[in-house]
Amino acid sequence: MAKYIVQPYKGKLNSRVKISGCKNAALPIMCAAALSTETSTITEVPDLIDINIMKDILVHLGANIQYDKQTSTMTVAYSGNGSFEAPYDMVDKLRASVLSMGVLLATKGMAKVASPGGCPIGARPIDLHLKGFAAMGAEIQQGHGYVMAMASKGLHGANIYLDFPSVGATENIMLAAVTARGETIIDNAANEPEIVDLATFLSSMGADISGAGTDKIRIQGVKKLHAAEHAIMPDRIETGSFMTLAAAIGGRLEIVNAIPEHVKPISAKLREMGCQVVEEDGCLVVEVEDTSKLKAVDIKTLPHPGFPTDMQAPFTALLCRSHGTGIITETVFENRFLHVQELKRMGANIKIDGRTAYIEGGTPLTGTKVKAMDLRAGMAVILAALFAEGTTEVDDIYHVERGYEDLPGKLRSLGIEIARID
Ligand code: EPZ
């Protein structure tokens, strides 16, 4: 297993970093492009493990995809044939592969997708996705580790209420609804920026969508979608991760290609801790004079526009540095504190009670061997390593490389000593 060797950061940060395209926007947009037999061009596609797995899945399902990693440009078109089955060995590697159900129902009228396994952060059921497809006329069968959805007469519009504003369910229903007969309304829809990016791309393909970014999305089905061009929006979680890094090690970091609007909850919490967060000629700048003055804060993760659950782990690491007790409540996933055990191995003083973690800041951390338990937990231990005493070895870093493009390269450009050992 590849690992990172991370040294504590001793310098005074005064640098800049460029944010890559957003993984969680690129994945559904790749699926959307596979709804048309015309070739769409997508730029700012980050070179990540998850993106390459989604490419393999969509090719297996009949898409023609060219991906130039040098220019971060991908072309996608549906070939008109391919399998209607997403097998377990593919689905098991990428939970977002469940989005292929919407594409398969829209293009083939049938989908056979392996039931996605749970993952470290929780059971992550897909009941809301299936509720949407059933409302649109699909017949759902489950068994032998697969979910079958059949819509031999095609899909029709429906009025769908989501019990929870699920990002994936909202996206999957949008993918199925854009060419369904009639109108679909998604009530209590997720309103994350990734949903807006997907809707913008689908609209540029000729879809008739309104309300993306609110909790009510209205879609009028159209006969056909045509090719479109789209640049993936910058990754707001990568942005937040680098903002948190700047706060953890102090100094000044200019973050290029960030959208301040997308990271308002993170900016607000960093300001509460005593950081300076400003916009300067198109850049987001985070500046911390003295990390020893960082104040602890309380955080509750919520669906957008609340504090993002994907930033919970990196912030838990940051609160290990601040003074006082930080309290973090995770309301979105049921088991998203896997990083806490690893931080405690470094000496962190954290107690968990149900969905709440109590972080006693100010306890010095020491470098040791730790694991990246999931994508964002990996970022948490890397951040902690930057202000620990001594070297830290982070194992299982494929989790991290699923979601952060060229992380060692970007960290080295800030003067951080990190080596990748295969
Ligand atoms: C997306 O996951 C993101 N992944 C996650 O990012 C992110 O943490 C999450 O949204 C929340 O913002 C991608 O976009 C690929 P959900 P998703 O459906 O769609 C429950 C990362 O770090 N739920 O909004 O799976 C579910 O169990 C990843 O990049 C149901 O109960 O999230 C969870 O508790 C991790 N039934 C909650 O909703 C369903 O049918 C939120 O899940 C669907 C979801």
Side-chain angles (χ1 to χ4, degrees):
M1 292 284 189
K3 54 188 149 191
Y4 290 149
I5 310 294
V6 187
Q7 303 305 332
Y9 182 77
K10 299 284 185 221
K12 184 95 179 132
L13 184 62
N14 183 6
S15 189
R16 63 175 21 203
V17 67
K18 183 176 183 295
I19 299 300
S20 300
C22 174
K23 163 177 88 82
N24 292 347
L27 292 169
I29 285 172
M30 287 167 70
C31 292
L35 290 170
S36 171
T37 52
E38 295 180 20
T39 302
S40 291
T41 302
I42 312 165
T43 56
E44 303 299 321
V45 180
D47 180 14
L48 300 168
I49 293 174
D50 279 11
I51 296 293
N52 289 293
I53 295 174
M54 180 62 89
K55 172 175 170 284
D56 293 345
I57 291 171
L58 290 173
V59 166
H60 175 73
L61 302 179
N64 290 325
I65 299 183
Q66 303 301 322
Y67 181 27
D68 178 346
K69 296 179 182 181
Q70 304 312 316
T71 60
S72 307
T73 300
M74 183 180 276
T75 58
V76 182
Y78 176 46
S79 67
N81 48 44
S83 169
F84 65 87
E85 178 180 339
Y88 181 71
D89 64 326
M90 286 184 152
V91 170
D92 188 44
K93 289 197 199 96
L94 178 67
R95 289 194 45 77
S97 54
V98 69
L99 296 175
S100 59
M101 288 194 84
V103 179
L104 285 168
L105 282 172
T107 54
K108 295 183 165 79
M110 62 194 297
K112 182 179 179 186
V113 175
S115 308
C119 76
I121 59 179
R124 300 181 78 178
I126 59 167
D127 56 308
L128 299 176
H129 301 238
L130 301 180
K131 171 182 176 179
F133 296 145
M136 298 171 75
E139 193 198 320
I140 309 289
Q141 284 170 6
Q142 302 193 56
H144 310 294
Y146 275 86
V147 180
M148 277 291 285
M150 303 279 288
S152 40
K153 296 201 245 7
L155 296 172
H156 56 72
N159 204 329
I160 300 157
Y161 172 78
L162 293 181
D163 307 49
F164 182 90
S166 155
V167 172
T170 302
E171 292 168 345
N172 228 342
I173 295 165
M174 287 166 73
L175 292 166
V178 286
T179 56
R181 288 187 311 280
E183 180 182 68
T184 297
I185 291 174
I186 309 173
D187 230 337
N188 195 29
N191 56 38
E192 272 71 1
E194 292 78 10
I195 302 284
V196 177
D197 213 30
L198 173 60
T200 304
F201 177 61
L202 284 165
S203 303
S204 65
M205 291 179 79
D208 181 350
I209 300 182
S210 58
T214 74
D215 61 5
K216 187 171 196 148
I217 299 176
R218 194 182 292 273
I219 298 170
Q220 284 295 349
V222 295
K223 278 250 172 303
K224 208 166 139 21
L225 296 173
H226 53 72
E229 301 220 347
H230 185 78
I232 300 290
M233 72 178 211
D235 194 314
R236 63 190 170 100
I237 305 302
E238 185 189 16
T239 304
S241 301
F242 275 101
M243 293 169 76
T244 309
L245 176 145
I249 59 179
R252 173 189 163 89
L253 181 61
E254 285 181 18
I255 302 174
V256 183
N257 194 35
I259 299 178
E261 179 65 21
H262 288 177
V263 290
K264 278 197 313 192
I266 296 135
S267 304
K269 285 298 168 183
L270 288 178
R271 288 183 185 119
E272 262 181 64
M273 293 181 78
C275 305
Q276 261 201 320
V277 181
V278 294
E279 289 174 49
E280 253 172 42
D281 25 301
C283 278
L284 196 63
V285 181
V286 177
E287 191 149 11
V288 176
E289 263 313 300
D290 177 354
T291 54
S292 68
K293 293 203 172 58
L294 287 173
K295 293 191 287 297
V297 291
D298 294 349
I299 288 168
K300 185 174 188 180
T301 68
L302 286 167
H304 193 73
F307 190 93
T309 171
D310 292 349
M311 280 306 304
Q312 183 259 107
F315 247 77
T316 305
L318 176 62
L319 288 170
C320 292
R321 174 144 233 191
S322 56
H323 279 272
T325 306
I327 302 176
I328 292 197
T329 302
E330 170 58 62
T331 74
V332 177
F333 288 103
E334 67 265 30
N335 182 29
R336 204 171 191 176
F337 285 131
L338 293 167
H339 47 288
V340 168
Q341 204 44 47
E342 300 306 302
L343 292 171
K344 288 174 79 164
R345 283 176 47 69
M346 298 175 76
N349 181 346
I350 306 176
K351 285 182 188 54
I352 295 180
D353 176 8
R355 288 201 170 193
T356 300
Y358 298 87
I359 300 112
E360 268 316 314
T363 322
L365 301 186
T366 51
T368 181
K369 283 190 175 192
V370 289
K371 283 180 186 292
M373 299 304 285
D374 66 53
L375 169 54
R376 309 302 173 185
M379 178 51 79
V381 290
I382 291 168
L383 292 181
L386 299 179
F387 57 89
E389 269 314 302
T391 305
T392 298
E393 192 175 295
V394 183
D395 218 334
D396 292 355
I397 54 161
Y398 65 91
H399 280 299
V400 181
E401 298 184 341
R402 290 184 44 205
Y404 289 97
E405 187 178 49
D406 185 24
L407 185 62
K410 291 189 179 182
L411 293 179
R412 281 190 209 110
S413 74
L414 304 182
I416 287 166
E417 275 186 72
I418 177 169
R420 185 181 193 281
I421 316 281
D422 260 321

